[in-house]
Amino acid sequence: MKFSKWLNQSKVPIAVIAVGTLMVVYLFPNQKKELPIFGPQDFNPELVDVELQNTKVLHTVTDFSLVNQDGEIITQNNYKDKVYVTDFFFTRCPSICPIMSNNMQKLQQEFLNEDDVMLLSMSVTPEMDSVPVLKEYARRNGVFKSKWNIATGDKKHIYDLARKSYFATVDYGDGGLQDFIHTPNFVLVDQNKQIRGVYNGTDTDDVNRLIGDIKSLVYQIN
């Protein structure tokens, strides 16, 4: 029997069917979406350190050791088995960073009760962004400690993470005093430390796409 004929003969109102369809879409968003796994070969070569270019080995983000807004050491163990979003910022940035922080707040609010999702922001000017400065920045931005770490640490370590681990910037440098990176990228990492997406943290549509992709990864975990 054709579906249209069945509808005409059925006692189930079309409106009820329509509402039911919408509920399925709402309750199970992106459940079948498969996100790609990104490696060095998938990025613009300018984003990839020379040592990693043409590498075919499965890429995972490097272990890190940083200090958060409460002066606590955080490592990959704090993000073990978590889906997380990371970005690179500095507290005195007057341009893109406030927009990025607002969108990180949006992510925090969206996944506040989702234990499998966390956030990580790393300062690109650790010499200026001390723990007390980050503490005040976190307070102003409504950061929940259990959800979002605002981090500092050794500058070369942070810059190596940006360039060799998260492929977040095209800038070159050695992490020295004159070295400086500035990127709007939000990088999505899954529970296996693999990069699953890169998004413009200043673009509303891209941030909404990121939210959907996070939900896809969390659905796969659960």
Side-chain angles (χ1 to χ4, degrees), residues 53-67:
Q53 290 181 7
N54 302 316
T55 300
K56 301 297 183 181
V57 178
L58 184 66
H59 178 76
T60 56
V61 297
T62 307
D63 291 344
F64 55 79
S65 180
L66 303 165
V67 181

Side-chain angles (χ1 to χ4, degrees), residues 99-116:
I99 301 172
M100 294 167 63
S101 295
N102 286 339
N103 283 326
M104 287 292 265
Q105 286 181 50
K106 180 178 180 179
L107 295 178
Q108 177 180 248
Q109 187 59 41
E110 181 73 28
F111 297 102
L112 192 58
N113 298 316
E114 179 53 71
D115 292 338
D116 291 324

Side-chain angles (χ1 to χ4, degrees), residues 14-31:
I14 294 177
V16 173
I17 296 173
V19 170
T21 302
L22 288 173
M23 287 182 65
V24 169
V25 173
Y26 177 78
L27 292 174
F28 303 100
N30 303 312
Q31 63 175 2

Side-chain angles (χ1 to χ4, degrees), residues 192-206:
N192 298 313
K193 303 195 298 184
Q194 298 169 322
I195 296 175
R196 305 304 293 269
V198 179
Y199 312 80
N200 185 338
T202 68
D203 183 85
T204 300
D205 290 339
D206 235 23

Side-chain angles (χ1 to χ4, degrees), residues 133-145:
V133 172
L134 295 183
K135 181 77 171 179
E136 173 59 20
Y137 184 85
R139 186 196 64 78
R140 292 199 314 268
N141 286 281
V143 171
F144 284 85
K145 174 184 172 182

Side-chain angles (χ1 to χ4, degrees), residues 63-159:
D63 291 344
F64 55 79
S65 180
L66 303 165
V67 181
N68 72 3
Q69 65 269 25
D70 291 319
E72 301 170 340
I73 300 296
I74 59 168
T75 68
Q76 281 283 7
N77 287 333
N78 297 91
Y79 290 80
K80 186 178 180 180
D81 299 326
K82 306 290 186 182
V83 172
Y84 72 94
V85 178
T86 191
D87 72 337
F88 297 83
F89 80 109
F90 61 107
T91 61
R92 301 186 187 188
C93 166
S95 54
I96 65 173
C97 294
I99 301 172
M100 294 167 63
S101 295
N102 286 339
N103 283 326
M104 287 292 265
Q105 286 181 50
K106 180 178 180 179
L107 295 178
Q108 177 180 248
Q109 187 59 41
E110 181 73 28
F111 297 102
L112 192 58
N113 298 316
E114 179 53 71
D115 292 338
D116 291 324
V117 179
M118 292 184 67
L119 307 173
L120 173 62
S121 294
M122 288 180 259
S123 169
V124 300
T125 59
E127 67 278 4
M128 292 187 293
D129 290 337
S130 62
V131 169
V133 172
L134 295 183
K135 181 77 171 179
E136 173 59 20
Y137 184 85
R139 186 196 64 78
R140 292 199 314 268
N141 286 281
V143 171
F144 284 85
K145 174 184 172 182
S146 61
K147 180 63 62 175
W148 183 6
N149 284 296
I150 312 293
T152 186
D154 178 75
K155 183 176 181 179
K156 187 177 187 307
H157 179 47
I158 292 171
Y159 279 47

